[in-house]
Amino acid sequence: MFEGFETRWVQLDEASVFVRHGGEGPPVVLLHGHPRTSSTWHRVAPLLVRSGFTVVCPDLRGYGRSRGPVATKDHAGHSKRAVAGDVVAVMRALGHDRFRLAGHDRGGAVALRLALDHPGAVSRVALLDCLPLTEHLTRITAEFATRWWHWFFFAQPNIPERVINADPDSWYRGDPHSMGQENHDEWREATRNPAVVRAMLEDYRAGLTIDRRHEEEDRDAGHLIRCPALILWSLRDDLEHLYGDPLEIWRRWADDVRGHGIDSGHHMAEQAPDALAASLADFFADEPE
């Protein structure tokens, strides 16, 4: 995977962030979702390099090989604000003050927070198979609660750790053929690590508490994403089924919104890398340097 890319750990005050980076040209950051690592981009990142970009793929705080602080009752150390700050610091360590950004799933929540908290750092943002957390939570139905029950299970104290760590291979299921063997092996190693499992659960606990409050504060203050935003969603997942047109929802959060569906299941970077990379490259290239 990632032929020609370099790897390093960037040491920050509260976190040690593992990052892959390669290519030449305008910088692009790719943020993975749950329960993946940066290796989920192994088919997309090289395509973006060939399109003329520098591509940076970090493991989010606590995921994969990155590590964060000990969990606290307020979950602040695993908030999207804290993780967004990691990304800005990592990019500065690599010599980039401003960059294009894409986030999938939970990485999309980080990308939203980063674009709101650090508008000067983000020139364009792509939000993949996600909505703002508050938009999910204000639209809860019996169908949502049935399909997305894990959000609320993960938020319980201590119980999900015991359940998942008792048999992580049964809890987290993946196909090495569709994922790619090396990507699958890296992901499987991470999901077998109790420290990673705890951090991934803290991500969800933060989502229902401190992250929700941060989004509500932005919504009440009228804060919007000021850069162009590309919204992509998987046509074979349930986002559009549950909520209708995702573009209409994202227009409550951004001035300049465009996007379309991708013929894929949820993990589009693994299942539809050519279509995803083409959409990202077209969007990210449409900007004067």
Side-chain angles (χ1 to χ4, degrees):
M1 296 188 298
F2 295 94
E3 184 177 356
F5 277 63
E6 298 179 30
T7 61
R8 64 180 286 189
W9 275 265
V10 179
Q11 300 296 325
L12 306 174
D13 289 342
E14 284 192 336
S16 173
V17 179
F18 174 76
V19 61
R20 296 172 155 103
H21 59 101
E24 296 182 359
V28 170
V29 182
L30 304 177
L31 304 179
H32 64 84
H34 173 271
R36 295 301 201 253
T37 75
S38 57
S39 67
T40 194
W41 301 107
H42 71 105
R43 292 170 176 151
V44 171
L47 296 175
L48 291 176
V49 167
R50 287 178 212 158
S51 295
F53 297 100
T54 295
V55 180
V56 180
C57 304
D59 286 353
L60 300 181
R61 174 182 291 204
Y63 283 77
R65 286 179 255 187
S66 294
R67 294 293 174 265
V70 175
T72 56
K73 289 184 178 180
D74 64 1
H75 313 296
H78 292 82
S79 69
K80 308 305 171 289
R81 175 159 285 162
V83 181
D86 289 348
V87 176
V88 172
V90 165
M91 290 304 286
R92 287 176 179 164
L94 295 176
H96 307 296
D97 292 324
R98 187 169 169 83
F99 47 87
R100 293 137 172 94
L101 176 65
H104 174 258
D105 184 77
R106 305 301 287 188
V110 175
L112 168 62
R113 176 51 46 205
L114 203 162
L116 290 172
D117 284 359
H118 306 275
V122 182
S123 59
R124 291 191 162 228
V125 62
L127 300 150
L128 317 179
D129 242 3
C130 62
L131 295 176
L133 300 173
T134 50
E135 297 290 349
H136 286 289
L137 295 173
T138 58
R139 289 171 166 78
I140 289 178
T141 63
E143 184 175 14
F144 174 92
T146 301
R147 288 174 178 253
W148 295 48
W149 62 274
H150 64 282
W151 277 33
F152 310 103
F153 175 64
F154 287 173
Q156 304 306 309
N158 300 318
I159 296 173
E161 281 92 338
R162 296 203 303 271
V163 172
I164 295 170
N165 289 326
D167 190 356
D169 290 7
S170 293
W171 184 269
Y172 293 114
R173 297 182 181 180
D175 173 21
H177 176 72
S178 63
M179 293 178 66
Q181 187 67 57
E182 290 180 84
N183 174 34
H184 177 271
D185 292 347
E186 179 173 315
W187 161 81
R188 177 61 73 203
E189 181 180 0
T191 59
R192 289 172 175 170
N193 184 334
V196 172
V197 171
R198 179 64 183 270
M200 292 194 293
L201 294 171
E202 283 297 307
D203 175 1
Y204 280 82
R205 290 162 180 155
L208 296 184
T209 54
I210 188 170
D211 294 331
R212 182 181 186 177
R213 291 196 297 273
H214 290 160
E215 285 190 8
E216 289 172 343
E217 290 167 0
D218 283 312
R219 184 186 60 200
D220 294 345
H223 296 159
L224 297 174
I225 298 172
R226 298 301 179 186
C227 66
L230 175 69
I231 311 303
L232 301 175
W233 62 95
S234 302
L235 294 175
R236 287 184 264 130
D237 201 13
D238 61 1
L239 194 70
E240 192 171 12
H241 170 75
L242 286 171
Y243 304 112
D245 185 358
L247 298 179
E248 290 303 311
I249 297 174
W250 276 108
R251 288 189 177 107
R252 294 160 48 96
W253 291 84
D255 287 327
D256 181 349
V257 173
R258 78 286 304 269
H260 56 85
I262 296 282
D263 185 14
S264 174
H266 179 59
H267 293 288
M268 58 174 69
E270 298 165 2
Q271 298 170 16
D274 293 330
L276 176 56
S279 294
L280 292 176
D282 287 346
F283 176 62
F284 290 146
D286 187 20
E287 179 183 343
E289 291 301 322

